[in-house]
Amino acid sequence: VSVYPNPTKNSITVTYSTKNYSTVYYHIYDMMGKQLNNDNSILGTGDKIIGNINTSGLATGMYLIKLTEGSTTTNYKFIKQ
């Protein structure tokens, strides 16, 4: 998994490889733990996913992106400039 650029201004790109063809969901949280996007945000479906996420509506600060594939969850911090 990679999340770039970090820090970012208007969007981040997430590259995610899976062992199986599957759907990866994402959630963005502020540092207070508030979820900022809806529950059904799909990064992509496949075995190698490259998704672009618009961050232009976020205020300057640090955020957490949570990636979920089945029962596997991965978290990454990113900074919005």
Side-chain angles (χ1 to χ4, degrees):
V1 176
S2 63
V3 178
Y4 58 92
N6 192 9
T8 187
K9 290 189 178 190
N10 295 315
S11 69
I12 55 175
T13 300
V14 178
T15 304
Y16 193 102
S17 295
T18 66
K19 291 184 180 181
N20 301 311
Y21 190 91
S22 60
T23 300
V24 177
Y25 296 89
Y26 74 92
H27 299 95
I28 297 175
Y29 297 88
D30 64 17
M31 288 293 102
M32 300 299 290
K34 180 181 176 187
Q35 184 176 323
L36 302 175
N37 64 323
N38 77 42
D39 285 336
N40 296 317
S41 297
I42 297 175
L43 180 65
T45 301
D47 56 1
K48 180 164 174 89
I49 299 166
I50 300 174
N52 292 309
I53 300 170
N54 183 348
T55 60
S56 63
L58 299 176
T60 300
M62 186 175 292
Y63 295 88
L64 179 76
I65 183 168
K66 175 178 159 183
L67 304 170
T68 304
E69 175 203 356
S71 61
T72 302
T73 300
T74 307
N75 297 313
Y76 286 90
K77 290 181 183 175
F78 70 94
I79 297 170
K80 168 67 165 58
Q81 292 181 325

